[in-house]
Amino acid sequence: MGGKAKPTKHTAKEIAKKVFEANVNRGGGANGAASRTDGKCQFKCYICLGFQPSEKSMQIHFDAKHPKETMDAERIKVAA
């Protein structure tokens, strides 16, 4: 706990979250190339070329990132 009128700078929870996010593999860059091509990401956005693991995730992606566009199910499938 901080003292009287002295706000704490960072909590242990915030620091642990920063350390975790800095060290976890999110699938980007050269390290994530294998995870993007191993068949788990079966859907590719034809607008921003992002990969999604399922059609439901792709629908959520379209609603969030491309709200003015309609998703064409035939164009998002990635050939294995």
Side-chain angles (χ1 to χ4, degrees):
M1 295 282 290
K4 234 178 164 176
K6 274 192 169 181
T8 56
K9 300 250 184 202
H10 298 285
T11 63
K13 183 179 177 183
E14 287 176 328
I15 293 170
K17 183 180 176 192
K18 281 185 177 183
V19 169
F20 173 76
E21 288 178 350
N23 295 321
V24 71
N25 181 8
R26 297 282 184 193
N31 292 337
S35 65
R36 290 193 301 270
T37 59
D38 67 355
K40 290 182 182 171
C41 291
Q42 299 174 0
F43 300 93
K44 184 176 181 182
C45 178
Y46 54 88
I47 296 171
C48 66
L49 305 179
F51 288 93
Q52 298 294 328
S54 67
E55 193 167 354
K56 185 175 181 180
S57 295
M58 182 57 76
Q59 184 63 48
I60 293 168
H61 166 80
F62 256 83
D63 292 342
K65 302 293 182 183
H66 316 294
K68 295 180 181 178
E69 302 289 331
T70 56
M71 187 177 82
D72 183 11
E74 295 302 317
R75 291 178 67 186
I76 62 170
K77 303 238 182 203
V78 172

